[in-house]
Amino acid sequence: HGFAGLPTARGVSVKSPEFSCFGHQWLVVLYPGGGRLEGSKEGHVSVYLHNQSPESIQAYFKFVLKHPTDQTKRSFETGYAIQSFVAREGKGRHNFAKRETVLTYLNNGTLTLEVHLRSRKKAESSGYVPSNSFNNNMLKGFNNEEMSDVTFEVGGEVESAANRRKRAKTTPTTFHAGHLILKLNAPSLADMCKPGDEAAVPINGVEPEVFKMLLYFCYGGKVSEDELEANAKAIIEAADRFGIVNLKLQAEAVLTKQTEVTVDNMLDNLLYATSKNLALFLEKIMDFVAENGSMLLGKVSFGDVPSNLISDILTAVAQGKKSAGGVAGDDLQIMRVGEMRKRLHDKGLCIDGDRETMIALLRENSESSPSASRVKLEP
Protein backbone atom coordinates (compact mmCIF):
# COMPACT_ATOMS: atom_id res chain seq x y z
CA HIS A 1 0.00 0.00 0.00
CA GLY A 2 1.15 3.57 -0.66
CA PHE A 3 4.00 2.55 -2.97
CA ALA A 4 4.56 6.11 -4.22
CA GLY A 5 5.30 7.27 -0.69
CA LEU A 6 7.89 4.56 0.09
CA PRO A 7 11.57 5.59 0.52
CA THR A 8 13.39 6.00 -2.79
CA ALA A 9 16.96 5.92 -1.46
CA ARG A 10 18.99 3.03 -2.84
CA GLY A 11 19.46 0.13 -0.45
CA VAL A 12 16.35 0.88 1.62
CA SER A 13 13.97 -2.06 1.67
CA VAL A 14 10.39 -2.81 2.63
CA LYS A 15 9.15 -6.29 3.47
CA SER A 16 5.86 -8.04 2.91
CA PRO A 17 4.15 -10.06 5.65
CA GLU A 18 5.38 -13.66 5.86
CA PHE A 19 3.41 -16.37 4.08
CA SER A 20 3.61 -20.18 3.98
CA CYS A 21 4.19 -22.45 0.99
CA PHE A 22 5.61 -26.01 0.75
CA GLY A 23 6.16 -26.05 4.51
CA HIS A 24 8.42 -22.98 4.41
CA GLN A 25 7.96 -19.39 5.49
CA TRP A 26 8.54 -16.73 2.81
CA LEU A 27 8.48 -12.98 2.39
CA VAL A 28 9.03 -10.55 -0.46
CA VAL A 29 11.71 -7.88 -0.04
CA LEU A 30 11.28 -4.80 -2.23
CA TYR A 31 13.74 -1.98 -2.83
CA PRO A 32 11.59 0.88 -4.25
CA GLY A 33 14.67 2.94 -5.09
CA GLY A 34 16.89 0.05 -6.17
CA GLY A 35 19.13 -2.37 -4.30
CA ARG A 36 22.71 -1.93 -3.18
CA LEU A 37 24.18 -4.94 -4.99
CA GLU A 38 26.49 -4.62 -7.95
CA GLY A 39 24.44 -4.52 -11.15
CA SER A 40 21.45 -2.68 -9.63
CA LYS A 41 20.65 0.30 -11.83
CA GLU A 42 19.58 3.75 -10.71
CA GLY A 43 15.83 4.27 -10.99
CA HIS A 44 14.95 0.57 -11.09
CA VAL A 45 12.94 -1.38 -8.52
CA SER A 46 14.65 -4.47 -7.06
CA VAL A 47 12.59 -7.40 -5.77
CA TYR A 48 13.58 -10.64 -4.05
CA LEU A 49 11.83 -13.73 -2.66
CA HIS A 50 13.28 -14.63 0.72
CA ASN A 51 13.26 -18.07 2.41
CA GLN A 52 12.69 -17.38 6.11
CA SER A 53 12.85 -21.03 7.21
CA PRO A 54 16.04 -22.62 8.63
CA GLU A 55 16.05 -25.34 5.93
CA SER A 56 17.02 -25.01 2.27
CA ILE A 57 14.58 -25.79 -0.55
CA GLN A 58 14.65 -26.04 -4.34
CA ALA A 59 11.70 -24.48 -6.13
CA TYR A 60 10.65 -22.80 -9.35
CA PHE A 61 9.53 -19.21 -8.89
CA LYS A 62 8.77 -16.01 -10.73
CA PHE A 63 7.41 -12.51 -10.06
CA VAL A 64 4.62 -11.10 -12.23
CA LEU A 65 3.45 -7.47 -12.35
CA LYS A 66 0.28 -6.82 -14.37
CA HIS A 67 -1.48 -3.58 -15.13
CA PRO A 68 -4.60 -3.44 -12.92
CA THR A 69 -7.00 -2.24 -15.65
CA ASP A 70 -5.37 -2.31 -19.10
CA GLN A 71 -4.60 -5.91 -20.08
CA THR A 72 -3.04 -4.78 -23.36
CA LYS A 73 -0.11 -3.30 -21.47
CA ARG A 74 3.03 -5.30 -20.99
CA SER A 75 3.31 -7.59 -17.95
CA PHE A 76 6.66 -7.69 -16.18
CA GLU A 77 7.89 -11.21 -15.36
CA THR A 78 11.17 -12.56 -14.03
CA GLY A 79 10.87 -15.93 -15.80
CA TYR A 80 10.24 -19.35 -14.25
CA ALA A 81 13.60 -20.61 -12.95
CA ILE A 82 14.65 -23.36 -10.58
CA GLN A 83 16.51 -21.92 -7.62
CA SER A 84 18.09 -23.32 -4.49
CA PHE A 85 16.87 -21.14 -1.63
CA VAL A 86 19.39 -21.38 1.19
CA ALA A 87 18.08 -20.67 4.68
CA ARG A 88 17.33 -16.98 5.26
CA GLU A 89 18.62 -15.87 1.87
CA GLY A 90 16.83 -14.44 -1.14
CA LYS A 91 16.68 -14.76 -4.91
CA GLY A 92 15.22 -12.27 -7.32
CA ARG A 93 15.82 -9.51 -9.85
CA HIS A 94 18.09 -6.50 -9.28
CA ASN A 95 16.41 -4.49 -12.06
CA PHE A 96 12.83 -5.74 -12.12
CA ALA A 97 11.30 -2.64 -13.73
CA LYS A 98 11.82 1.12 -13.88
CA ARG A 99 10.30 2.91 -10.93
CA GLU A 100 8.57 5.44 -13.17
CA THR A 101 6.87 2.56 -15.00
CA VAL A 102 5.87 0.76 -11.80
CA LEU A 103 4.13 3.95 -10.64
CA THR A 104 1.74 3.62 -13.62
CA TYR A 105 0.83 0.05 -12.58
CA LEU A 106 -0.58 0.94 -9.17
CA ASN A 107 -4.15 0.15 -8.21
CA ASN A 108 -5.39 2.99 -5.99
CA GLY A 109 -1.83 3.49 -4.80
CA THR A 110 -1.22 -0.22 -4.11
CA LEU A 111 1.43 -2.27 -5.89
CA THR A 112 0.16 -5.81 -6.51
CA LEU A 113 2.98 -8.25 -7.21
CA GLU A 114 2.21 -11.89 -7.97
CA VAL A 115 4.56 -14.57 -6.62
CA HIS A 116 4.43 -17.92 -8.46
CA LEU A 117 6.01 -20.89 -6.63
CA ARG A 118 6.17 -24.48 -7.81
CA SER A 119 7.93 -27.34 -6.03
CA ARG A 120 10.49 -29.43 -7.82
CA LYS A 121 8.98 -32.88 -8.27
CA LYS A 122 10.31 -35.80 -10.27
CA ALA A 123 8.19 -36.87 -13.19
CA GLU A 124 6.38 -40.14 -12.67
CA SER A 125 7.44 -43.05 -14.84
CA SER A 126 4.85 -44.43 -17.25
CA GLY A 127 6.06 -48.00 -16.75
CA TYR A 128 7.57 -50.20 -14.09
CA VAL A 129 11.33 -49.89 -13.72
CA PRO A 130 12.96 -51.91 -10.91
CA SER A 131 15.07 -49.98 -8.47
CA ASN A 132 18.70 -50.67 -7.71
CA SER A 133 18.86 -53.96 -5.82
CA PHE A 134 22.10 -53.12 -4.01
CA ASN A 135 20.50 -52.53 -0.60
CA ASN A 136 18.48 -55.74 -0.72
CA ASN A 137 21.52 -57.71 -1.80
CA MET A 138 23.61 -56.15 0.96
CA LEU A 139 21.06 -57.15 3.58
CA LYS A 140 21.34 -60.76 2.42
CA GLY A 141 24.89 -60.66 3.79
CA PHE A 142 23.83 -59.30 7.18
CA ASN A 143 25.12 -61.64 9.91
CA ASN A 144 25.67 -64.31 7.26
CA GLU A 145 28.58 -66.50 8.34
CA GLU A 146 29.32 -67.76 4.83
CA MET A 147 29.61 -64.24 3.43
CA SER A 148 31.65 -62.86 6.34
CA ASP A 149 35.33 -62.75 7.22
CA VAL A 150 35.26 -61.37 10.78
CA THR A 151 33.43 -62.47 13.93
CA PHE A 152 32.41 -60.63 17.09
CA GLU A 153 31.36 -61.95 20.46
CA VAL A 154 29.16 -59.42 22.20
CA GLY A 155 28.65 -59.94 25.93
CA GLY A 156 26.13 -57.45 27.19
CA GLU A 157 26.85 -56.25 30.72
CA VAL A 158 23.97 -55.71 33.13
CA GLU A 159 23.77 -54.48 36.72
CA SER A 160 23.65 -57.40 39.15
CA ALA A 161 21.29 -55.40 41.36
CA ALA A 162 20.01 -51.89 41.76
CA ASN A 163 22.55 -49.35 43.01
CA ARG A 164 25.44 -51.86 42.90
CA ARG A 165 28.64 -51.43 40.95
CA LYS A 166 29.22 -55.14 40.48
CA ARG A 167 28.34 -56.31 36.96
CA ALA A 168 27.71 -59.74 35.53
CA LYS A 169 28.16 -60.73 31.89
CA THR A 170 25.44 -62.47 29.96
CA THR A 171 26.26 -65.30 27.57
CA PRO A 172 28.12 -63.75 24.60
CA THR A 173 26.20 -63.47 21.34
CA THR A 174 28.09 -64.15 18.10
CA PHE A 175 27.83 -61.83 15.08
CA HIS A 176 29.41 -62.19 11.65
CA ALA A 177 30.35 -59.35 9.30
CA GLY A 178 32.36 -58.40 6.25
CA HIS A 179 35.46 -56.35 7.04
CA LEU A 180 35.10 -54.20 3.90
CA ILE A 181 31.53 -53.26 4.90
CA LEU A 182 32.74 -52.23 8.34
CA LYS A 183 35.67 -50.28 6.94
CA LEU A 184 33.25 -48.19 4.88
CA ASN A 185 30.54 -47.74 7.50
CA ALA A 186 32.05 -48.36 10.95
CA PRO A 187 35.77 -47.57 10.62
CA SER A 188 36.56 -47.75 14.33
CA LEU A 189 34.96 -51.18 14.56
CA ALA A 190 36.90 -52.32 11.47
CA ASP A 191 40.15 -51.22 13.12
CA MET A 192 39.53 -53.78 15.87
CA CYS A 193 39.95 -56.77 13.52
CA LYS A 194 41.48 -58.03 10.29
CA PRO A 195 39.89 -60.02 7.44
CA GLY A 196 40.15 -63.74 8.08
CA ASP A 197 40.90 -63.52 11.81
CA GLU A 198 40.14 -66.91 13.33
CA ALA A 199 39.51 -65.60 16.83
CA ALA A 200 36.31 -63.70 17.52
CA VAL A 201 36.71 -60.08 18.64
CA PRO A 202 35.19 -59.51 22.11
CA ILE A 203 32.89 -56.50 22.41
CA ASN A 204 32.01 -55.39 25.93
CA GLY A 205 29.84 -52.58 27.17
CA VAL A 206 27.25 -52.99 24.41
CA GLU A 207 24.03 -54.96 24.61
CA PRO A 208 23.71 -57.59 21.84
CA GLU A 209 20.42 -56.09 20.62
CA VAL A 210 22.05 -52.67 20.23
CA PHE A 211 25.06 -54.16 18.44
CA LYS A 212 22.67 -55.97 16.11
CA MET A 213 21.01 -52.64 15.21
CA LEU A 214 24.41 -51.07 14.50
CA LEU A 215 25.50 -53.95 12.28
CA TYR A 216 22.14 -53.97 10.47
CA PHE A 217 22.51 -50.25 9.80
CA CYS A 218 26.01 -50.80 8.38
CA TYR A 219 24.49 -53.20 5.85
CA GLY A 220 22.00 -50.60 4.68
CA GLY A 221 19.15 -51.51 7.04
CA LYS A 222 16.93 -48.99 8.78
CA VAL A 223 16.61 -48.75 12.55
CA SER A 224 12.96 -48.05 13.34
CA GLU A 225 11.74 -44.98 15.20
CA ASP A 226 10.54 -47.17 18.07
CA GLU A 227 13.96 -48.81 18.42
CA LEU A 228 15.66 -45.42 18.36
CA GLU A 229 13.32 -44.05 21.02
CA ALA A 230 13.79 -47.06 23.31
CA ASN A 231 17.59 -47.18 22.95
CA ALA A 232 18.61 -43.62 22.05
CA LYS A 233 21.48 -43.19 24.51
CA ALA A 234 22.78 -46.76 24.10
CA ILE A 235 22.82 -46.33 20.31
CA ILE A 236 24.54 -42.94 20.59
CA GLU A 237 27.20 -44.44 22.88
CA ALA A 238 27.92 -47.42 20.62
CA ALA A 239 27.65 -45.54 17.31
CA ASP A 240 30.02 -42.88 18.61
CA ARG A 241 32.43 -45.55 19.80
CA PHE A 242 32.52 -47.39 16.46
CA GLY A 243 32.35 -44.39 14.10
CA ILE A 244 28.83 -44.88 12.73
CA VAL A 245 28.10 -41.17 12.41
CA ASN A 246 24.73 -41.17 10.63
CA LEU A 247 23.15 -43.59 13.07
CA LYS A 248 24.48 -41.57 15.98
CA LEU A 249 22.87 -38.42 14.58
CA GLN A 250 19.58 -40.23 13.93
CA ALA A 251 19.48 -41.34 17.57
CA GLU A 252 20.46 -37.82 18.66
CA ALA A 253 17.54 -36.34 16.70
CA VAL A 254 15.13 -38.72 18.45
CA LEU A 255 16.67 -37.99 21.85
CA THR A 256 16.38 -34.25 21.21
CA LYS A 257 12.74 -34.60 20.23
CA GLN A 258 11.70 -36.78 23.16
CA THR A 259 13.60 -34.99 25.95
CA GLU A 260 11.85 -32.23 27.85
CA VAL A 261 14.53 -29.95 29.24
CA THR A 262 13.76 -28.65 32.74
CA VAL A 263 15.58 -26.69 35.42
CA ASP A 264 16.22 -29.94 37.29
CA ASN A 265 17.70 -31.95 34.40
CA MET A 266 19.26 -29.15 32.33
CA LEU A 267 22.78 -29.45 33.73
CA ASP A 268 22.96 -33.26 33.43
CA ASN A 269 21.68 -33.09 29.85
CA LEU A 270 24.15 -30.31 29.02
CA LEU A 271 27.16 -32.25 30.29
CA TYR A 272 26.00 -35.39 28.49
CA ALA A 273 25.48 -33.55 25.20
CA THR A 274 28.93 -31.99 25.48
CA SER A 275 30.64 -35.31 26.26
CA LYS A 276 29.19 -36.95 23.13
CA ASN A 277 29.46 -33.95 20.76
CA LEU A 278 25.66 -33.84 20.35
CA ALA A 279 25.40 -30.40 18.78
CA LEU A 280 21.68 -30.65 18.01
CA PHE A 281 20.76 -31.76 21.53
CA LEU A 282 23.06 -29.10 22.98
CA GLU A 283 21.34 -26.46 20.83
CA LYS A 284 17.97 -27.37 22.37
CA ILE A 285 19.43 -27.11 25.86
CA MET A 286 21.02 -23.74 25.07
CA ASP A 287 17.71 -22.48 23.72
CA PHE A 288 16.19 -23.43 27.08
CA VAL A 289 18.98 -21.61 28.95
CA ALA A 290 18.57 -18.47 26.81
CA GLU A 291 14.79 -18.44 27.30
CA ASN A 292 14.78 -19.30 31.02
CA GLY A 293 17.87 -17.62 32.39
CA SER A 294 16.04 -15.94 35.26
CA MET A 295 14.63 -19.30 36.41
CA LEU A 296 18.10 -20.86 36.47
CA LEU A 297 19.80 -18.16 38.55
CA GLY A 298 20.45 -19.45 42.04
CA LYS A 299 19.08 -22.92 41.23
CA VAL A 300 21.80 -24.30 38.94
CA SER A 301 25.54 -24.27 39.58
CA PHE A 302 27.58 -23.79 36.42
CA GLY A 303 30.91 -24.48 38.12
CA ASP A 304 31.41 -27.77 36.25
CA VAL A 305 30.33 -26.42 32.85
CA PRO A 306 33.16 -26.07 30.30
CA SER A 307 33.96 -22.41 29.63
CA ASN A 308 33.62 -22.87 25.86
CA LEU A 309 29.85 -23.35 26.31
CA ILE A 310 29.46 -19.63 27.05
CA SER A 311 29.77 -19.11 23.29
CA ASP A 312 26.88 -21.53 22.72
CA ILE A 313 24.70 -19.66 25.21
CA LEU A 314 25.43 -16.34 23.48
CA THR A 315 24.66 -17.99 20.14
CA ALA A 316 21.26 -19.15 21.42
CA VAL A 317 20.48 -15.60 22.56
CA ALA A 318 21.55 -14.17 19.19
CA GLN A 319 19.47 -16.74 17.32
CA GLY A 320 16.42 -15.71 19.31
CA LYS A 321 17.00 -12.05 18.56
CA LYS A 322 17.53 -12.68 14.87
CA SER A 323 14.29 -14.65 14.61
CA ALA A 324 12.63 -11.53 16.00
CA GLY A 325 14.46 -9.34 13.48
CA GLY A 326 16.87 -7.78 15.96
CA VAL A 327 20.32 -9.03 14.93
CA ALA A 328 22.48 -8.57 11.86
CA GLY A 329 25.91 -10.03 11.26
CA ASP A 330 27.59 -13.31 10.54
CA ASP A 331 24.80 -15.74 9.56
CA LEU A 332 27.18 -18.69 9.79
CA GLN A 333 28.02 -17.90 13.40
CA ILE A 334 24.36 -18.07 14.47
CA MET A 335 23.13 -20.64 11.96
CA ARG A 336 21.05 -23.52 13.31
CA VAL A 337 22.79 -26.88 13.66
CA GLY A 338 20.51 -28.64 11.18
CA GLU A 339 21.35 -26.21 8.39
CA MET A 340 25.08 -26.37 9.13
CA ARG A 341 25.02 -30.16 8.94
CA LYS A 342 23.16 -30.03 5.64
CA ARG A 343 25.74 -27.67 4.15
CA LEU A 344 28.59 -29.86 5.38
CA HIS A 345 26.89 -32.96 3.98
CA ASP A 346 26.36 -31.25 0.60
CA LYS A 347 30.11 -30.52 0.50
CA GLY A 348 31.03 -34.11 1.45
CA LEU A 349 32.45 -33.04 4.83
CA CYS A 350 32.15 -34.57 8.30
CA ILE A 351 28.91 -33.59 10.04
CA ASP A 352 29.81 -34.98 13.48
CA GLY A 353 31.24 -32.27 15.70
CA ASP A 354 30.46 -29.33 17.93
CA ARG A 355 29.37 -25.92 16.60
CA GLU A 356 32.87 -24.44 16.44
CA THR A 357 34.22 -27.45 14.54
CA MET A 358 31.40 -27.28 11.99
CA ILE A 359 31.77 -23.52 11.54
CA ALA A 360 35.53 -23.88 11.02
CA LEU A 361 34.99 -26.62 8.40
CA LEU A 362 32.44 -24.54 6.51
CA ARG A 363 34.71 -21.51 6.47
CA GLU A 364 37.72 -23.51 5.35
CA ASN A 365 35.75 -25.05 2.50
CA SER A 366 33.56 -22.11 1.51
CA GLU A 367 33.53 -21.17 -2.14
CA SER A 368 33.40 -17.53 -3.15
CA SER A 369 30.17 -16.76 -4.93
CA PRO A 370 29.22 -13.78 -7.11
CA SER A 371 27.70 -10.90 -5.20
CA ALA A 372 24.56 -11.23 -7.27
CA SER A 373 23.79 -14.64 -5.84
CA ARG A 374 23.33 -13.49 -2.25
CA VAL A 375 20.96 -10.86 -0.98
CA LYS A 376 21.57 -8.84 2.15
CA LEU A 377 18.24 -7.66 3.45
CA GLU A 378 19.23 -5.12 6.08
CA PRO A 379 18.78 -1.56 4.81
Side-chain angles (χ1 to χ4, degrees):
H1 301 287
F3 176 83
L6 295 177
T8 58
R10 294 190 67 175
V12 179
S13 67
V14 292
K15 302 175 182 179
S16 73
E18 287 192 16
F19 58 95
S20 298
C21 189
F22 305 129
H24 283 243
Q25 291 297 114
W26 307 84
L27 59 77
V28 174
V29 180
L30 190 74
Y31 291 81
R36 296 178 298 178
L37 296 179
E38 183 180 351
S40 298
K41 297 180 182 178
E42 188 76 31
H44 282 69
V45 175
S46 301
V47 60
Y48 305 96
L49 179 63
H50 191 68
N51 173 24
Q52 286 292 89
S53 297
E55 297 84 19
S56 300
I57 183 175
Q58 283 194 327
Y60 294 89
F61 89 105
K62 69 175 178 179
F63 291 113
V64 179
L65 174 62
K66 298 178 181 178
H67 195 277
T69 58
D70 190 349
Q71 295 185 358
T72 64
K73 285 196 173 184
R74 170 194 173 191
S75 293
F76 291 87
E77 299 187 13
T78 57
Y80 236 149
I82 181 70
Q83 294 285 355
S84 179
F85 288 88
V86 178
R88 300 186 177 92
E89 291 185 1
K91 303 286 184 180
R93 185 65 60 86
H94 303 327
N95 305 300
F96 179 65
K98 290 184 177 180
R99 176 179 170 78
E100 61 185 30
T101 303
V102 173
L103 288 170
T104 67
Y105 278 62
L106 304 182
N107 185 7
N108 295 324
T110 298
L111 174 65
T112 302
L113 192 64
E114 296 179 7
V115 182
H116 295 236
L117 268 170
R118 179 162 61 89
S119 64
R120 186 180 186 184
K121 294 182 178 179
K122 296 180 180 180
E124 295 184 3
S125 173
S126 58
Y128 171 73
V129 178
S131 60
N132 192 324
S133 59
F134 179 80
N135 273 6
N136 289 334
N137 290 337
M138 284 295 297
L139 286 173
K140 293 176 182 177
F142 167 65
N143 206 18
N144 187 316
E145 184 175 1
E146 293 182 359
M147 299 181 182
S148 303
D149 54 8
V150 292
T151 304
F152 300 95
E153 284 191 350
V154 182
E157 293 181 348
V158 296
E159 294 285 354
S160 59
N163 301 319
R164 295 184 184 177
R165 292 184 179 180
K166 185 178 179 181
R167 293 177 179 267
K169 288 187 177 181
T170 61
T171 303
T173 302
T174 302
F175 292 93
H176 305 279
H179 189 268
L180 178 60
I181 304 301
L182 299 180
K183 188 174 182 180
L184 293 171
N185 299 296
S188 297
L189 184 59
D191 288 343
M192 298 172 64
C193 53
K194 294 181 180 179
D197 281 349
E198 294 184 4
V201 178
I203 301 292
N204 295 318
V206 182
E207 293 293 336
E209 277 303 308
V210 172
F211 191 84
K212 181 179 179 181
M213 294 176 204
L214 268 63
L215 204 58
Y216 186 67
F217 186 85
C218 290
Y219 273 78
K222 181 179 180 181
V223 179
S224 71
E225 190 84 3
D226 290 342
E227 290 173 321
L228 288 169
E229 288 179 357
N231 303 278
K233 285 193 173 181
I235 291 173
I236 289 170
E237 179 77 30
D240 187 54
R241 174 179 169 185
F242 299 130
I244 311 173
V245 173
N246 286 12
L247 182 57
K248 172 189 172 182
L249 300 189
Q250 285 184 20
E252 180 201 14
V254 170
L255 178 66
T256 302
K257 181 180 178 180
Q258 71 181 10
T259 301
E260 179 183 359
V261 182
T262 66
V263 173
D264 294 331
N265 68 22
M266 183 279 298
L267 190 57
D268 287 340
N269 282 322
L270 185 150
L271 295 174
Y272 172 74
T274 304
S275 69
K276 299 300 175 186
N277 268 341
L278 304 178
L280 184 67
F281 190 32
L282 182 61
E283 182 176 69
K284 177 175 181 175
I285 299 166
M286 290 305 178
D287 286 344
F288 176 84
V289 173
E291 294 169 5
N292 301 277
S294 59
M295 293 174 54
L296 298 170
L297 291 175
K299 296 181 180 179
V300 177
S301 172
F302 287 87
D304 295 330
V305 176
S307 59
N308 64 292
L309 292 182
I310 300 300
S311 173
D312 292 88
I313 296 176
L314 294 175
T315 296
V317 173
Q319 286 170 337
K321 287 185 177 180
K322 181 165 185 182
S323 65
V327 171
D330 187 351
D331 282 349
L332 189 60
Q333 190 64 39
I334 59 176
M335 185 178 292
R336 304 296 291 184
V337 168
E339 180 62 22
M340 277 198 287
R341 283 177 173 173
K342 183 180 185 306
R343 292 194 183 189
L344 288 167
H345 180 269
D346 290 345
K347 293 175 180 289
L349 301 172
C350 178
I351 59 176
D352 185 22
D354 58 22
R355 284 191 63 88
E356 295 305 316
T357 300
M358 290 190 286
I359 289 171
L361 267 178
L362 284 171
R363 285 179 174 161
E364 288 172 8
N365 293 272
S366 63
E367 297 178 358
S368 59
S369 57
S371 59
S373 67
R374 297 176 68 91
V375 180
K376 293 193 73 175
L377 300 177
E378 295 81 11

